[in-house]
Structure formats: structure tokens, C-alpha cells
Amino acid sequence: MHLAYPAVLAVLLFCTGLYGVLARRNAILVLMSVELMLNAVNLNLVAFDVWLRDALHSGQALTLFTIAIAAAEIGIGLAIVLAVYRNRGSSDVDRLRDTAETDEAETVPDGDDSDDGDGTATASGTGTEDQATASAGKAKKAEATP
């Protein structure tokens, strides 16, 4: 058996999985793409094990471990995706950044410098702009929760 055939197939599988991880927005499709990448690695492990005629079949044993870890990974990943979908209503990867519950817009005492999130410090002369920011942050947080 030529080693080039399974190696080329593994490269194609891995590149397809890499494209899926980088280009897809749906978390379930990203998990499927990771599985494609793991299967490409498994194909290489078995192909090189057969090509080297290893007496211990180390490549095939490592493939079994990879399959077991991939099964655990997909189970945990799918549980996380379902929990996020249940709470947010979408499994869009770009919207998962909004899951962090940080209160960046809290009221700052008068006269203190505050960081407005983009790295620049602003001096607050009155407390009205800080209170407006805090109330807008609370409204956004209340709007995000069902």
C-alpha cells in the first residue's frame, strides 16, 4: 500500500475540518469540524502504523485512545452547546462572548477617574453620566436575560 493515498486523504479531511472551525458560526458545526480533524489524525496514525509494520500496533492503540477522548469531548461539548442554546436561544459562536456577566457600567463616585472600556480614562465631573451608564448597562443585562 502506498502511504501517499491515505496521507492525501488525511490532509484533505484536516483542511476541511480547519475550514469548518474557522468559517462556521454554529457551535455544532464547529464541533463536527473538530471531529473531522481528529479523524484525519486517526487516519494518519493507522496508515503509518501499517506502513511501518509495527509489531505492537502503537498507532492503532493511540487511535483507540483518540476515539475515546473524542467521544468524551463531543459529549461535553454538546452538553455545553445545548445549555447555551437553552439559555440564549442561539448557538452562534460569535454571540457566546456576551455570556460573561460582568458589570462594567457601575456607578463611580464623583471626581474619580474611570476606565470606559477602551483603555482611556475619563474624569467624571458629575455623577449623572455615570448613573445613566449604569442604568443603560442594567437595561441591557435585563434585556439579554429571558
Side-chain angles (χ1 to χ4, degrees):
M1 176 173 103
H2 294 287
L3 187 61
Y5 298 131
V8 168
L9 180 62
V11 166
L12 290 174
L13 276 174
F14 193 84
C15 289
T16 304
L18 186 65
Y19 173 75
V21 167
L22 296 177
R24 298 291 178 191
R25 301 206 188 288
N26 191 349
I28 294 175
L29 292 178
V30 170
L31 286 174
M32 289 175 58
S33 299
V34 169
E35 290 296 320
L36 270 178
M37 293 167 62
L38 286 173
N39 285 330
V41 170
N42 289 340
L43 182 62
N44 269 335
L45 285 172
V46 171
F48 277 98
D49 182 48
V50 169
W51 184 65
L52 292 174
R53 294 187 176 101
D54 187 16
L56 296 175
H57 300 293
S58 303
Q60 293 178 18
L62 192 56
T63 298
L64 289 176
F65 284 116
T66 307
I67 290 170
I69 292 198
E73 173 257 335
I74 200 70
I76 292 171
L78 192 59
I80 291 171
V81 168
L82 288 175
V84 167
Y85 182 77
R86 188 174 296 154
N87 289 335
R88 296 285 177 183
S90 172
S91 62
D92 190 7
V93 175
D94 291 336
R95 296 179 70 192
L96 291 181
R97 278 179 269 205
D98 299 335
T99 60
E101 294 185 18
T102 58
D103 291 331
E104 295 176 358
E106 290 186 13
T107 306
V108 179
D110 292 333
D112 288 348
D113 290 341
S114 64
D115 186 20
D116 60 353
D118 61 354
T120 59
T122 57
S124 32
T126 65
T128 57
E129 61 190 37
D130 293 328
Q131 291 172 355
T133 308
S135 64
K138 289 178 184 176
K140 181 179 177 185
K141 189 177 195 181
E143 178 182 297
T145 58

